[in-house]
């Protein structure tokens, strides 16, 4: 499903299951019931690609609300800028201006190749009891108001890889809090540039027993040396310490987009940079580089990763003999999910992580492979926890 938004929505768009939003814009929304811009309620494999969220007043420009334990949301190549609070709202909760808010239902969100800049209050907030992954994201110039952290984490788990957190306003860049003591607030940062290092992370002394973080030795505290050009000002200049400083050792279920936020290859010479942009030595030249349209995927699974089961959605455009099989990471076929002649269409198949004999398979990586008329057309990696 593809949804195109108007530039000035009067009410938020509320999304439910299996939705893909691409090349859309949310601007100048205020005083809505569920929060500004876009709100998802029960996000089961919701995907946002190449979207822009800007000039939203109060609440959140994008609010991801999980209902079920295994709900998932993927945010790729998006830009969040100049979202600001509504200080005239009589309800203090709705005064807060957040760019991206994630929480509830023990769901999982993965945000890749995204840029957060010039947001007046919080650029990112993660609340109980969700788990979030921020991969190759750039946070800069956010939180202009006093005592407003750019990233606010509370009773949730946040993992950061290859990110840049630089030149943030407020008293500190990252705030960890835990008021209800429902679950431990956890933060893990790897291969990222954090302005101020560990001093950028603030934990209230009264809540320190409930807030734990790991600041890895692979992180750096330096000037990222942004390029500063007119089109991509947060691209990396030639001498940036972020070049080739990222890691490709990511959790198995995370797949980076092929292109960065500027349309350049995300991985170059087998290495990856920090931040939303991969260094490009041709930046500054007038050459035009068209962005190729990504090939439509015909296999998807949600939730992924999963514990007790996942729903596999398969699509095919021509009639033929469709066969969908499951292989373990060693290449051994463990299950046939579908087999037979089928007209064009799609099918949703529930797989509970068992083999042909109904035995539960161990945790690990599995590959869903679709064949049409005996020819492999697509494969999908899933992770059983």
């Amino acid at each position: 499903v593809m949804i195109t938004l108007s530039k000035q929505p009067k009410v938020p768009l509320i999304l439910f299951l299996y939705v893909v939003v691409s090349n859309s814009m949310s601007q100048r929304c205020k005083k809505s019931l569920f929060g500004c811009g876009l709100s998802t309620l029960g996000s089961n494999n919701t995907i946002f690609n190449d979207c822009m969220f800007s000039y939203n007043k109060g609440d959140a420009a994008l609010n991801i609300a999980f209902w079920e334990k295994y709900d998932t949301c993927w945010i790729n190549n998006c830009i969040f800028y100049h979202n600001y609070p509504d200080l005239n709202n009589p309800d203090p909760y709705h005064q807060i201006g957040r760019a991206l808010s994630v929480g509830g239902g023990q769901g999982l969100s993965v945000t890749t190749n995204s840029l957060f800049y010039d947001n007046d209050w919080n650029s990112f907030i993660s609340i109980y009891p969700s788990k979030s992954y921020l991969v190759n994201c750039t946070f800069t110039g956010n939180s202009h108001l006093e005592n407003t952290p750019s990233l606010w984490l509370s009773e949730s788990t946040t993992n950061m890889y290859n990110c840049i957190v630089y030149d943030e306003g407020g008293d500190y860049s990252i705030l960890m809090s835990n008021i209800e003591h429902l679950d431990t607030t956890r933060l893990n940062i790897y291969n990222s540039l954090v302005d101020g290092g560990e001093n950028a992370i603030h934990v209230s002394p009264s809540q320190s027993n409930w807030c734990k973080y790991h600041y890895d030795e692979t992180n750096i505290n330096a000037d990222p040396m942004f390029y500063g050009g007119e089109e991509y000002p947060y691209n990396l200049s030639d001498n940036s310490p972020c070049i080739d400083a990222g890691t490709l050792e990511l959790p198995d279920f995370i797949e980076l987009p092929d292109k960065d936020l500027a349309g350049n290859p995300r991985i170059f010479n087998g290495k990856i940079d920090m931040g939303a942009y991969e260094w490009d030595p041709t930046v500054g030249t007038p050459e035009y580089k068209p962005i190729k349209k990504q090939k439509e995927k015909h296999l998807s699974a949600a939730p992924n990763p999963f514990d007790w089961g996942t729903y596999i959605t398969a699509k095919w455009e021509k009639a033929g003999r469709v066969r969908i099989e499951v292989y373990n990471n060693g290449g051994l076929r463990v299950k046939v999910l579908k087999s037979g002649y089928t007209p064009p269409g799609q099918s949703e198949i529930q797989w509970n992580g068992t083999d042909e004999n109904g035995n539960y398979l161990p945790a690990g990586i599995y590959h869903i492979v679709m064949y049409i008329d005996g020819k492999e057309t697509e494969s999908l990696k899933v992770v059983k926890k």
Side-chain angles (χ1 to χ4, degrees):
V1 179
M2 182 174 291
I3 299 175
T4 301
L5 309 179
S6 64
K7 291 188 177 181
Q8 294 184 341
K10 296 182 181 299
V11 296
L13 178 66
I14 303 174
L15 306 174
F16 290 89
L17 306 182
Y18 303 107
V19 174
V20 178
V21 181
S22 298
N23 300 304
S24 295
M25 181 182 295
S26 168
Q27 286 189 319
R28 293 179 173 85
C29 173
K30 61 181 180 179
K31 296 182 180 179
S32 58
L33 179 60
F34 294 102
C36 289
L38 292 177
S39 291
T40 67
L41 304 179
S43 305
N44 192 346
N45 206 31
T46 302
I47 303 172
F48 294 90
N49 292 327
D50 307 303
C51 297
M52 182 176 293
F53 303 87
S54 62
Y55 290 92
N56 292 284
K57 185 176 182 180
D59 291 295
L62 176 58
N63 179 55
I64 307 299
F66 297 117
W67 278 355
E68 301 295 334
K69 184 175 182 180
Y70 302 114
D71 284 349
T72 57
C73 181
W74 308 82
I75 303 166
N76 306 309
N77 292 64
C78 292
I79 298 176
F80 299 80
Y81 76 96
H82 199 52
N83 298 289
Y84 53 96
D86 182 7
L87 299 179
N88 294 322
N89 194 313
D91 185 344
Y93 179 81
H94 293 288
Q95 287 181 358
I96 299 174
R98 298 161 174 164
L100 172 59
S101 176
V102 177
Q106 298 184 37
L108 170 71
S109 71
V110 179
T111 304
T112 66
N113 283 4
S114 293
L115 172 64
F116 299 77
Y117 75 97
D118 197 29
N119 296 289
D120 284 356
W121 203 298
N122 305 127
S123 61
F124 175 79
I125 178 172
S126 176
I127 57 176
Y128 177 82
S130 62
K131 178 180 289 187
S132 299
Y133 288 84
L134 300 172
V135 185
N136 282 101
C137 292
T138 296
F139 300 85
T140 186
N142 299 294
S143 300
H144 304 297
L145 303 181
E146 185 179 2
N147 297 321
T148 58
S150 178
L151 292 88
W152 180 15
L153 319 173
S154 181
E155 295 169 297
S156 59
T157 298
T158 302
N159 302 280
M160 299 175 63
Y161 296 86
N162 308 340
C163 290
I164 295 175
V165 182
Y166 181 74
D167 193 26
E168 299 287 59
D171 292 341
Y172 28 77
S173 299
I174 304 172
L175 170 65
M176 299 181 67
S177 66
N178 198 304
I179 300 174
E180 299 295 334
H181 294 175
L182 299 175
D183 197 3
T184 302
T185 304
R186 301 184 186 277
L187 170 64
N188 302 300
I189 307 179
Y190 306 93
N191 293 84
S192 296
L193 183 150
V194 181
D195 190 8
E198 288 190 63
N199 291 331
I201 305 172
H202 179 77
V203 179
S204 173
S206 63
Q207 301 174 24
S208 59
N209 290 335
W210 290 86
C211 298
K212 307 296 181 183
Y213 70 84
H214 172 71
Y215 187 84
D216 199 69
E217 61 182 10
T218 57
N219 299 313
I220 59 176
N221 174 13
D223 184 340
M225 301 182 67
F226 292 131
Y227 168 68
E230 182 177 350
E231 186 174 10
Y232 302 114
Y234 301 111
N235 209 330
L236 303 176
S237 62
D238 294 353
N239 297 316
S240 172
C242 299
I243 296 174
D244 292 342
T247 179
L248 292 172
E249 295 182 4
L250 305 172
D252 292 327
F253 58 89
I254 294 179
E255 293 187 7
L256 287 168
D258 293 334
K259 304 292 184 178
D260 71 355
L261 201 53
N264 297 314
R266 179 68 272 190
I267 301 172
F268 185 71
N269 285 340
K271 297 181 180 180
I272 191 169
D273 300 340
M274 295 176 178
Y277 299 94
E278 194 75 7
W279 173 71
D280 181 1
T282 65
V283 167
T285 65
E287 180 183 0
Y288 171 69
K289 294 185 177 181
I291 300 176
K292 295 181 180 180
K293 184 177 180 181
Q294 292 185 348
K295 181 181 178 181
E296 181 183 1
K297 294 184 178 181
H298 295 86
L299 276 178
S300 63
N304 184 20
F306 67 94
D307 274 333
W308 303 109
T310 185
Y311 288 90
I312 299 164
T313 301
K315 297 187 292 185
W316 52 93
E317 299 173 351
K318 297 180 180 180
R321 184 167 297 279
V322 177
R323 187 174 179 88
I324 301 175
E325 302 177 344
V326 183
Y327 292 82
N328 65 18
N329 209 34
L332 178 66
R333 189 179 71 193
V334 296
K335 183 88 170 183
V336 176
L337 299 176
K338 182 179 179 65
S339 180
Y341 186 85
T342 310
Q346 73 175 44
S347 178
E348 184 179 88
I349 307 166
Q350 183 179 13
W351 180 47
N352 59 0
T354 59
D355 62 14
E356 291 286 10
N357 298 318
N359 301 313
Y360 283 96
L361 294 165
I365 301 173
Y366 294 88
H367 301 269
I368 313 298
V369 183
M370 179 166 66
Y371 300 89
I372 299 179
D373 293 331
K375 180 181 179 181
E376 180 181 337
T377 60
E378 194 163 332
S379 64
L380 173 71
K381 180 171 64 178
V382 297
V383 179
K384 185 177 186 295
K385 297 191 293 185

